Amino acid sequence: MSEWLPGTARDAERRQMDAAERHTDAEMRRLRAALEDFPAPGRRRILVLHGPAGAGKSTLARRLAAELGASHDLPVQWLAMSYREGNPEQPLLRVLQRAGEVPPGELCTALLGKPRDLTSLARATSRNWSKAIPSLIVLDALGAPEGKLLRGLAELLRGTRHILIVTSRTSRVPTDDDPGILRHEVAPLDESSPQQWVTGRYGLLTDQDATLLDALVAWQGGEFSPDMPLSRRRTTPSERRRSIERLHEHQLLQQSRPGWYEVRPSVREQLTRNHARHTRHRIAQELDRHLARSWIDEPCELGEAAESAVDLALRLVRAGARGPRGFTGWLARQLAVEGALLPLLMLKAGLERAGGDRSVLTVPLAMAVRHAGQPEAAARTLAGVDTADAVRELAVTQHHMGLLREAEATLDTLPADRPDGWALHIRGAIHADRGEPHAVGPLLRRAIETHQVRGDRRGEAWAVLHYGRLRLMRWDLEEARKRLETAWHTFRDVGDVLGATWAATELRRVTLLLQGPQPEVVRELRESPWAHQRCSDVRGEAWATLALGVAYADARQPAMASRTLNRALKSFESLPDRLGRAWALHHLALTAYRSDSVHLHQALDVFVEAGCRGGQAWTELQLAIHANVRRPHSDASTWLDRAQLDFEAIDDIAGARWVALQRDGLPPGSRPELAIRTLAGCYPRRVLDGINWDGEWVKLPHAIRHLMPEPGAFSDDSLPDDLPLTASRVRLTLLNRRPPVVGRPAHISLHVMPGPEHPWWSDPVDFQSQLTARATPLTDSDIEPAYSVPLVMGALFSFVPHCTGRHRIRFTIEHTQSRTVLQQVETEFDVTSRSAAVPPAAAPPAPERRA
């Protein structure tokens, strides 16, 4: 009871509340007598509570649901229908969504099929309900329930443990002849009580709260969240939230689920009389248009608001409001991106019933079906649509199926006279998957610029994601991390769940390459397939599973790797995704002690079919290793020649060096210095040290096969060929991503690296603890620290130049105990002014030419 009411009103309210409580208790006693055989196992699973407005049906349903849920150990799911009319399919679809998993195949058929009833979808769904977690579902305030709907639900629920409670105003529910449905008429309260109760509370509201309540009463929607801008006044979200909380405290609103509210039916009925019908209609349309515009202007993940957004789109279509096509198209695409397939089906069914323009759904429906694991059906749908949007999505679909040549040919049909950011970054992704990264950078830079000019943040995020994947492929891991994190944040800002999930998966791959297959890294990677599954992204789940299998393989867990890769292979085959299938076969062939040539030949055929030259080259190299192990010098040379040609065709220096290494051979028991020197410029020393070079045949790491490191990516590449193996070297690294500028610190790290035959090679940490390093500026600049620092896992210096031009620094390495100077090295930096410095931007910089 509210303390803010005056004494007389408080006494009146107490009497009304006591009367309502006694009424609910009396109805509960009547119900308990009638519910002796409800729910009946295998038979009666639906209870309909009907009666006039203000009779307390919702309160009664809450009490009853709490009791039945507790006694039968069932979770309660509350669905607020708010007596909405005009879309009878929605109650059925909402019940299907809560009762159990809907079969993806049937759902995709319903999404792309011709208008028809949803009986077959409902029956296919109900077959899984025996395996689903049972629940108690409440359909509150169902407007004019059709007998066909209730009888259909009764048939579906028969034989399950689900219970359905329906509240309705109508006294004529045509279900008398159905034994699966129990009806109970709720007796009315005193006619004057609701009116006095509502009027008394409304009169004591603040002007802001009363205005908000009037708007909510006029609004034709159902439940709402405080984040939805439904006030007619300009209010902040926090002000709106406080007003809603006060209205809820005053019992003028009721909470339908956590964070969601609706106007009490009795309150709506009483306050509706405050405005003429045409005024309510005008206010409702105003609110709907404002809400639709806010969702388009400030896109975000819909999540639990998906069904409310569908209701809004259908109201706009039925009202003939100006601009519904733009919102309906945006909503359909957003639902497809989020994997919200049932709300998307609600939108389609509602548009068919309302006579709206269904052509706006063609491309989003195909997108949704593609993500759900049926790209071939999506491709057939898109092939019949002659729009630029459909052509782009057809190219994406072909790319996802591993038809890389066909996807690029489809993009070639788009007009070339105007820049198309989506077409550019799709083409860049295709080239990257073909193992041709050299053309990818310019394409993605143009794509990012085009998206930025058009203000398309979602398109820009996808282009930045592909650029991050390119840097990962080139083993520029810090740059890859930065770009992928930028993409992830942008995806989150614009509500692109699918893109954010892909960015998170790629970031985990970066961590895998940085740290190796450590247990905690693999544990994090295990989350990726589930994340893709949650947004109905079947292909993403398959690729994330493949990455997990690769991690298991490099962690030397062949049993786990084999199971995981087999799971990925089945997913790729069911899609189908030819490129994914080829990589799964390739890795699966290597999980045994000796490679499986059957899987390797299958992988090679699919790589050739898909047009992936990089995968083709790695598979030919592996076939050469396999042939040499089984019958030395048989046809291994032929496979090596083919691999050499393919690696050279795509300018993969690392791959070509692997071929040369296998061609020259490593005698058993030999030290790996030659191999490490050959590959030192392409991979970090940690990766090369982790390879077993002394076995019967060298097992190439799985993860590196998806990469194409840039020549000289690691400083070892610059070592002279005649450097003695007993020598040590000093490695200097500028840690800043941008060139040094005047007045700003640049950070330099120094490490001493002993050669493989140096006495300190076996314990580099111990020998570095015996050394110190000192930095001396030879130009107008400062160095911190200015004293000698111990070399324990390296040293870090801060360099602050005071003028532009070329600066020089001398580094001196000393032995601590003997105070002997072991080595001096000098380095140079070009320093620019602050005004000439390039500011950070989302677009990646053009690659610098190597001297």
Side-chain angles (χ1 to χ4, degrees):
M1 187 172 58
S2 301
E3 298 300 326
W4 49 268
L5 286 172
T8 305
R10 195 181 306 135
D11 292 339
E13 183 192 22
R14 183 184 293 111
R15 289 193 297 272
Q16 293 165 11
M17 293 180 66
D18 290 343
E21 187 70 22
R22 288 194 299 272
H23 176 267
T24 303
D25 291 340
E27 289 297 326
M28 282 298 296
R29 286 193 294 271
R30 289 179 58 211
L31 265 175
R32 289 190 186 100
L35 294 179
E36 290 182 356
D37 62 342
F38 181 88
R43 280 191 308 116
R44 187 171 291 179
R45 313 299 298 180
I46 298 181
L47 170 65
V48 179
L49 302 176
H50 61 91
K57 298 181 294 296
S58 297
T59 303
L60 187 61
R62 287 184 187 279
R63 287 266 300 268
L64 180 61
E67 284 194 11
L68 288 176
S71 61
H72 291 80
D73 194 21
L74 299 177
V76 178
Q77 302 195 52
W78 190 276
L79 303 180
M81 303 305 298
S82 302
Y83 297 112
R84 293 191 296 271
E85 307 282 352
N87 191 10
E89 293 86 3
Q90 191 174 23
L92 172 62
L93 292 173
R94 295 185 75 180
V95 171
L96 293 183
Q97 187 173 26
R98 270 68 175 189
E101 183 181 356
V102 181
E106 290 286 341
L107 188 50
C108 290
T109 301
L111 283 169
L112 293 183
K114 295 180 179 179
R116 60 192 180 98
D117 66 33
L118 302 174
T119 305
S120 59
L121 174 65
R123 287 176 178 168
T125 303
S126 65
R127 295 190 195 106
N128 298 328
W129 285 357
S130 59
K131 304 174 184 177
I133 299 174
S135 59
L136 193 154
I137 304 171
V138 180
L139 275 176
D140 184 44
L142 184 63
E146 297 181 3
K148 181 180 179 182
L149 168 66
L150 293 178
R151 282 192 292 269
L153 288 172
E155 181 181 351
L156 296 176
L157 294 173
R158 191 174 292 121
T160 74
R161 290 187 58 205
H162 292 292
I163 299 174
L164 178 65
I165 298 176
V166 178
T167 69
S168 175
R169 284 179 182 167
T170 179
S171 60
R172 292 180 297 177
V173 182
T175 58
D176 297 333
D177 57 340
D178 196 319
I181 301 173
L182 178 65
R183 298 171 63 239
H184 177 81
E185 183 173 3
V186 182
L189 277 166
D190 179 11
E191 291 294 332
S192 62
S193 295
Q195 183 175 359
Q196 294 173 359
W197 179 80
V198 173
T199 305
R201 293 203 167 202
Y202 181 83
L204 295 169
L205 293 176
T206 64
D207 187 44
Q208 177 179 316
D209 293 352
T211 302
L212 175 59
L213 183 59
D214 284 340
L216 294 174
V217 168
W219 188 52
Q220 295 176 358
E223 57 181 356
F224 57 88
S225 76
D227 297 326
M228 296 165 63
L230 290 173
S231 176
R232 299 180 65 200
R233 289 185 171 185
R234 189 181 296 275
T235 58
T236 64
S238 58
E239 290 174 340
R240 204 161 49 241
R241 186 176 296 276
R242 285 195 296 270
S243 288
I244 289 173
E245 289 172 352
R246 284 193 296 268
L247 293 173
H248 179 241
E249 179 188 348
H250 301 162
Q251 299 186 24
L252 297 167
L253 303 180
Q254 63 185 10
Q255 195 170 36
S256 56
R257 49 185 164 133
W260 287 81
Y261 302 86
E262 61 177 341
V263 179
R264 288 182 179 272
S266 57
V267 174
R268 184 186 295 274
E269 182 167 340
Q270 295 300 325
L271 294 185
T272 295
R273 303 166 186 170
N274 292 354
H275 300 288
R277 183 173 182 178
H278 68 277
T279 304
R280 295 197 309 271
H281 184 68
R282 176 178 56 78
I283 294 173
Q285 288 204 342
E286 255 177 47
L287 292 172
D288 279 348
R289 284 195 295 269
H290 179 59
L291 182 56
R293 179 51 53 194
S294 70
W295 260 325
I296 293 177
D297 292 344
E298 300 176 9
C300 60
E301 180 183 352
L302 291 172
E304 293 183 343
E307 293 174 7
S308 297
V310 170
D311 286 342
L312 172 60
L314 296 178
R315 285 199 306 276
L316 289 171
V317 171
R318 287 194 294 268
R322 195 173 289 177
R325 180 183 175 89
F327 178 70
T328 304
W330 172 86
L331 174 61
R333 185 175 288 271
Q334 183 66 27
L335 293 173
V337 166
E338 294 187 22
L341 302 186
L342 271 173
L344 189 56
L345 183 56
M346 293 178 195
L347 180 61
K348 179 193 174 190
L351 275 181
E352 290 168 351
R353 182 171 290 273
D357 181 10
R358 296 193 300 272
S359 65
V360 72
L361 298 183
T362 303
V363 173
L365 289 173
M367 290 171 55
V369 168
R370 178 183 71 215
H371 296 324
Q374 295 198 13
E376 290 179 324
R380 288 193 296 270
T381 300
L382 293 167
V385 184
D386 188 19
T387 64
D389 192 25
V391 172
R392 285 191 296 265
E393 291 301 330
L394 177 59
V396 172
T397 305
Q398 292 168 331
H399 177 204
H400 287 188
M401 295 167 65
L403 303 174
L404 305 184
R405 297 189 190 91
E406 292 84 345
E408 194 159 17
T410 299
L411 290 176
D412 290 339
T413 64
L414 289 169
D417 56 346
R418 58 180 180 272
D420 186 334
W422 286 90
L424 287 168
H425 79 240
I426 294 167
R427 193 183 295 273
I430 293 170
H431 278 282
D433 280 346
R434 290 174 65 173
E436 302 169 354
H438 302 286
V440 177
L443 285 170
L444 294 181
R445 281 190 289 276
R446 286 172 55 202
I448 292 172
E449 292 169 1
T450 304
H451 288 309
Q452 288 175 337
V453 168
R454 297 187 176 181
D456 184 359
R457 294 189 67 207
R458 180 171 171 267
E460 181 186 352
W462 277 105
V464 173
L465 170 73
H466 290 308
Y467 188 79
R469 295 182 69 235
L470 170 67
R471 298 321 306 161
L472 188 156
M473 183 181 184
R474 302 300 263 169
W475 211 306
D476 186 1
L477 300 183
E478 290 303 326
E479 182 71 10
R481 182 194 295 277
K482 183 169 69 175
R483 299 299 173 186
L484 291 169
E485 286 177 346
T486 299
W488 184 84
H489 284 292
T490 308
F491 282 131
R492 298 277 294 182
D493 288 344
V494 301
D496 193 328
V497 183
L498 186 70
T501 306
W502 271 98
T505 297
E506 294 301 317
L507 281 167
R508 291 186 178 107
R509 287 186 61 212
V510 170
T511 304
L512 177 67
L513 292 173
L514 280 170
Q515 301 181 18
Q518 302 297 325
E520 61 274 11
V521 177
V522 177
R523 195 179 306 115
E524 282 291 320
L525 202 56
R526 280 204 297 264
E527 296 296 320
S528 291
W530 295 106
H532 287 278
Q533 189 181 81
R534 283 193 292 270
C535 58
S536 301
D537 179 18
V538 176
R539 176 177 176 267
E541 181 185 354
W543 278 98
T545 305
L546 177 69
L548 179 61
V550 168
Y552 279 132
D554 282 339
R556 298 188 175 97
Q557 299 182 43
M560 287 296 295
S562 180
R563 283 197 296 270
T564 307
L565 291 170
N566 267 306
R567 193 163 66 247
L569 177 62
K570 291 177 181 177
S571 297
F572 286 129
E573 289 176 341
S574 66
L575 280 168
D577 181 345
R578 290 158 182 77
L579 186 61
R581 176 172 178 260
W583 278 116
L585 286 167
H586 178 96
H587 290 292
L588 198 57
L590 310 179
T591 53
Y593 174 69
R594 295 179 182 274
S595 60
D596 180 357
S597 63
V598 174
H599 278 159
L600 286 173
H601 282 287
Q602 290 177 347
L604 181 61
D605 291 342
V606 183
F607 276 130
V608 173
E609 179 188 0
C612 177
R613 202 79 180 263
Q616 183 178 334
W618 281 106
T619 306
E620 289 162 346
L621 173 59
Q622 198 61 51
L623 282 167
I625 296 173
H626 178 82
N628 195 39
V629 169
R630 294 191 62 189
R631 295 186 300 277
H633 311 298
S634 54
D635 54 351
S637 179
T638 303
W639 287 119
L640 287 173
D641 290 341
R642 291 178 58 176
Q644 182 80 23
L645 288 174
D646 285 327
F647 280 128
E648 290 177 353
I650 58 177
D651 199 19
D652 187 346
I653 304 301
R657 290 183 181 182
W658 278 108
V659 172
L661 193 63
Q662 296 296 331
R663 196 186 298 276
D664 295 339
L666 285 175
S670 69
R671 293 180 61 82
E673 289 81 10
L674 174 62
I676 291 176
R677 184 180 300 281
T678 302
L679 299 165
C682 301
Y683 305 102
R685 185 59 180 260
R686 173 187 59 78
V687 173
L688 299 177
D689 287 344
I691 299 175
N692 179 16
W693 301 97
D694 296 330
E696 183 182 358
W697 55 285
V698 177
K699 283 192 175 184
L700 285 63
H702 286 247
I704 68 172
R705 300 162 194 256
H706 296 263
L707 310 177
M708 192 184 295
E710 290 173 320
F714 300 92
S715 58
D716 303 78
D717 187 60
S718 59
L719 295 175
D721 290 337
D722 57 350
L723 184 70
L725 298 177
T726 57
S728 295
R729 63 190 184 276
V730 177
R731 173 183 291 174
L732 297 172
T733 306
L734 178 64
L735 301 180
N736 298 56
R737 297 302 304 173
R738 301 291 180 185
V741 297
V742 174
R744 290 182 180 173
H747 301 287
I748 305 167
S749 69
L750 182 150
H751 292 83
V752 175
M753 313 296 293
E757 294 186 3
H758 193 282
W760 289 332
W761 163 260
S762 60
D763 194 353
V765 174
D766 179 63
F767 102 83
Q768 287 195 59
S769 65
Q770 304 177 39
L771 306 179
T772 61
R774 183 177 70 255
T776 306
L778 304 180
T779 51
D780 186 13
S781 59
D782 291 329
I783 289 284
E784 293 290 342
Y787 49 82
S788 296
V789 295
L791 277 179
V792 180
M793 301 302 291
L796 182 65
F797 296 93
S798 177
F799 161 64
V800 182
H802 298 309
C803 62
T804 59
R806 179 158 294 184
H807 285 254
R808 295 173 61 201
I809 307 174
R810 175 181 298 155
F811 294 91
T812 304
I813 313 299
E814 296 181 351
H815 188 259
T816 305
Q817 295 179 352
S818 64
R819 298 184 181 276
T820 303
V821 174
L822 301 180
Q823 193 169 1
Q824 283 188 328
V825 294
E826 293 184 6
T827 187
E828 296 180 339
F829 296 96
D830 288 325
V831 177
T832 61
S833 64
R834 292 193 184 191
S835 59
V838 181
E848 297 179 359
R849 294 186 179 275
R850 297 185 179 273

